[in-house]
Amino acid sequence: MRRISKITTIAVLMASWAFLAAAQTPPPGSPVATHGQLSVDGNRIVNSRGEPVQLRGMSLYWSIGGGVDFYTAAVVQHLRSDWQADVVRAAMAVERNFNNEQRGFIADPEGNRSRLLTVVNAAIAQGMYVIIDWHSYIAEINQQQAVTFFKAMATQFKGVPNVIYEIYNEPNGICGPSGQNPCPGFTAAQNGGTALPSNRNPHTPWGVIRGYMQAVTDSIRAIDPDNLILIGTPDWCQRPDIATATGSAITGKNLVYTAHFYAGQNDPAHRGDLRNRIMAAMDRGFPVFVSEFGLTNAQGTGALDLDETTRWLDFLDFHHIGWANWSITNLGETSGAIQSGNGLNPSQWQLKPSGTYMRNRLRAPRSTTTPFRLLRVRSASVDGSEVPSHTIAVSVNNVNTTNGGTHTYVVDPNVNAAVTVIPPWSNPAIGTWRFIRWEGDTQGATPGATPTVLNVPMNNINRTITAVFEYEPVIVSTLPHGASAPAVRWSVARSGNGLILAGPSAAEASLYNMRGKQIGRFTYDGSGRALAIGGQNMPAGRYMVVVRDIATGREVYRDRVMMVR
């Protein structure tokens, strides 16, 4: 008997599921009735009128184990009518199994698909937005199944503005901080047919994950050109800055990058560092959505940190960044919202402290203030030219070192922000970028131990400061070691908006800007008559004049000059 592969089985099931959902008129006043089709405009999610939109809501627990009972239409209706949520996230388990009884999508596609569609259809009926979440830590090893699944979802829900696709929950692995601890491994039976080796590095490189993201994105966009796609980012969705760096972003329309945090995790990666990384992505023009967060530690246990949660949600509200809280479940985890009750009668729920806080937050008006201030740090050159992004590194309070351009840091309002220029890039064969001075909103700022450190008091205001650099090129010289360049009498002087060079012998003069680019070359016959260099329209800035003897080719003179307007 011919053996039918797991992928073939899933593909056959998908083909039977892929029918076009009929668009429904959303109830008046519902989120979808208010905002309609969502799209991306710059670094914002906007509604059908081009206005910024922030979605706020709840994530269901895994679609297996302790989450199964809550994948009901009654839960979705209750989250909308009582909690006033705009969005619900259906976290469909992929590889994960619980005790081989509740199995993830790879092992049980029909059961998980049925639970997922119950939630999606209920959200459409309520006029809510709904996130179809491929809830996996290792999705790249099941790329073909993901492509097939999202093709079916896109076919079914294209033209339905409620639907948002989240194609990879948390790119990483399944265990071990920073890749130090080995993974326990999954047998083929545990993982629905694909064995996972125990030595797999949980911090899979973004280059590997990016290929998965692009393939799944392309499969959706070939069918559904409009509905938002959420792109998971490295290190448990804590590095949107890496995923949006030059050459790293996914190609496609209406893409949004995700960030996850747990407020009770006393770790900069869940607090200040992550806020800075979110702003770094937004500075580059990419929108961000917090598709999962908790009030506890990252394991979903321990005490709630309500102060840090409030700081986070005020920050997200202020910047119109959407969020979904983890999670609707009655398991023993303190991150779970439900103390007692089930998915059939949610009006009878008794809430845990996490659930009480989140329900109150959703029912309250969005915050219009933020507990943080923004410090924008720019890099610029003395002549106004662009500073290459790889050359200049700046850090604030010893964290979140970034390169070149303009970067926004999220800082507490009543602190001194120590802005530091990291030793600049230097290449002995090309040249060096040297720090010159600070400019901008530096009122009240004081120098640090070195000129490259500036202590900036935020004083409860936003500031923009500029680190100014000068490029000093390396220009190849044929002078003998220890020789003095002006061995013969040469001189350079200003004449109008140009330069005048005079000297005793025939020579060739070259003019360079401070980026090492030659912008002029002139021959001098040695007659004693002055030679004009640079014409009459040299822009303001620093220049280097290099003179070589025509007969020998040796350099006989060089000088740096400044043109000032």
Side-chain angles (χ1 to χ4, degrees), residues 140-184:
E140 66 273 11
I141 72 170
N142 288 310
Q143 177 173 313
Q144 186 54 56
Q145 290 94 324
V147 167
T148 302
F149 170 81
F150 280 106
K151 280 184 176 179
M153 294 296 100
T155 300
Q156 185 165 352
F157 295 111
K158 65 180 178 181
V160 180
N162 311 65
V163 171
I164 299 169
Y165 310 104
E166 185 172 7
I167 61 178
Y168 196 156
N169 165 46
E170 286 180 342
N172 243 296
I174 55 172
C175 53
S178 302
Q180 299 302 310
N181 298 335
C183 296

Side-chain angles (χ1 to χ4, degrees), residues 24-38:
Q24 298 183 26
T25 301
S30 66
V32 175
T34 301
H35 299 298
Q37 179 68 56
L38 303 179

Side-chain angles (χ1 to χ4, degrees), residues 174-175 181-186 195-202:
I174 55 172
C175 53
N181 298 335
C183 296
F186 277 72
L196 182 66
S198 61
N199 63 351
R200 184 179 184 277
N201 181 359

Side-chain angles (χ1 to χ4, degrees), residues 272-316:
D273 281 9
L274 182 54
R275 286 186 281 266
N276 285 331
R277 291 164 182 169
I278 289 172
M279 295 309 298
M282 295 182 70
D283 279 346
R284 296 180 186 129
F286 296 96
V288 175
F289 189 97
V290 176
S291 59
E292 180 180 317
F293 75 92
L295 285 63
T296 63
N297 62 31
Q299 288 71 47
T301 60
L304 308 187
D305 192 329
L306 299 183
D307 289 342
E308 181 64 19
T309 301
T310 299
R311 284 156 57 88
W312 256 114
L313 296 184
D314 286 352
F315 166 77
L316 297 176

